[in-house]
Amino acid sequence: MGSSTNKVVLGLQWGDEGKGKVIDQLAESTDVVVRCQGGANAGHTVVVGGRKTVLHLLPSGILHERATCIIGNGVVVEPKALADELDELSAGGADVASRLLISDRAQLVLPCHKALDAAYEQAKGKGKVGTTMRGIGPAYMDKMARTGLRAGDLADPAWIDRLRAHLVAQNRIIAALGGRPVEVEQAIITLRPYLKRMAPLVADTTAWLHRAAAANKTMMFEGAQGVLLDIDHGTYPYVTSSNTGVGGVITGSGLSHRQLGEVIGVVKAYTTRVGGGPFPVELANETGGKGDEIRRRGGEFGATTGRPRRCGWLDLAAVGFACRLNGVDSIALTKLDILDPETVLPVCVAYELDGKRLDGVPANLNELARVKPIYETLPGWQASTVGVQRWQDLPAKARDYVAFIEKTLGVPVKWIGTGPGREATVCR
Ligand code: IMP
């Protein structure tokens, strides 16, 4: 198949890079959009004609009538979250269920997983991860423990018995952690209608995707979260529970590396992080601090949880690491306009530890907490870039900022976001 037309879109920071808008634009010319990992912890915001839609579980491509959307085997699916999102879109006039398939191998997020998420976080006290409380980690724990329930199991008549036994078993762990056990029978009654709605959408998406590939359909793989939140390569344990890079695309879709095509890394013009964990370029985020100022200007509040995001300058040490891990071919730079008023723009180009310059991101948390960012400071452009659509219409210093990113990373910036709407974009 012509994999050169396929695209992988990944976040190269700690999530919230603005992937939703990039994916939404690329979806226009894509036949199939696939989510491969994560679950309803994601929050992809798309603004169309001034109307804002936040998608958590459904692929952002769902807003394009042409695209068939696949929730791949690597995703953890919460039946209620799915139904709520479908309802919200159909209330807005979009019939999306007919263009959606869910892998029969996808794990289900059950009420016990949310209760466990809360109980584990509570038990961790000060060391808590700051999860989205969507039950994501415990659902992946069940997958790895080989005790999880999958979407394809719904067809099995003994399914409800397995669900009941599973909830009872998980309740023991919840109770041991001091959490709130699930009312088993009530949970089953509540779940039933959601599962019934989901059942007709469940299919062997791996086989479906291979057929689509053979028919030369164009595909886009929609990353969720960011590479610095990857379970293996991220700032462990302050990470999500899936592989957020190209590895997760392959295992989470059932397609091979040959079918991935161009890898597009989405990078915000500055850095944000939500939840706990090390963040070397973090600015003062209390009221009146620089981080707080950027947060307000950039509207940096979680799309899923509403939590305020921690803000910092652009960290190319972290982004470069993410590029190398994933063979990133090109970059989509988002929210450049948020930096418009700045007089100077420090950019972290590497970390230093005990006087030594590092060439990556250390695995050890204590080391990561001690690294010092090495900054190069660029001048700000102090002019509006809002809504700019052509490269030559950007202020010279804004172009220099972009050129500096390209030179430091050795990766071309092909797309620049200058506002929330679809049209506020520079394509190069
Ligand atoms: P979980 O994925 O809910 O288990 O949360 C683990 C960590 O990943 C927390 O720090 C979350 O804030 C973070 N996280 C999960 N999903 C997203 C996302 O879509 N954007 C940004 N951070 C996320």
Side-chain angles (χ1 to χ4, degrees), residues 14-17 19 38-44 117 121 129-138 224-226 229 237-242 272-277 303-305 307 309:
W14 279 276
D16 308 319
E17 296 89 354
K19 294 179 289 295
N41 50 347
H44 293 167
D117 206 348
E121 283 288 84
V129 176
T131 74
T132 59
M133 294 288 173
R134 295 294 191 271
I136 305 298
Q225 292 80 50
L229 288 170
Y238 296 96
V239 292
T240 192
S241 297
S242 63
T272 59
R273 168 160 212 175
V274 62
T304 300
T305 58
R307 290 181 291 178
R309 297 176 183 145

Side-chain angles (χ1 to χ4, degrees), residues 19 35 111 120 170-171 204 212 219 224 235 241 310 314 316 326-327 330 334 336 409:
K19 294 179 289 295
R35 265 209 54 193
Y120 279 120
Q170 295 299 74
N171 266 349
D204 182 348
M219 301 192 190
T235 48
S241 297
R310 301 151 69 191
L314 182 60
L316 293 183
N326 293 288
S330 62
T334 61
L336 185 73
L409 298 175

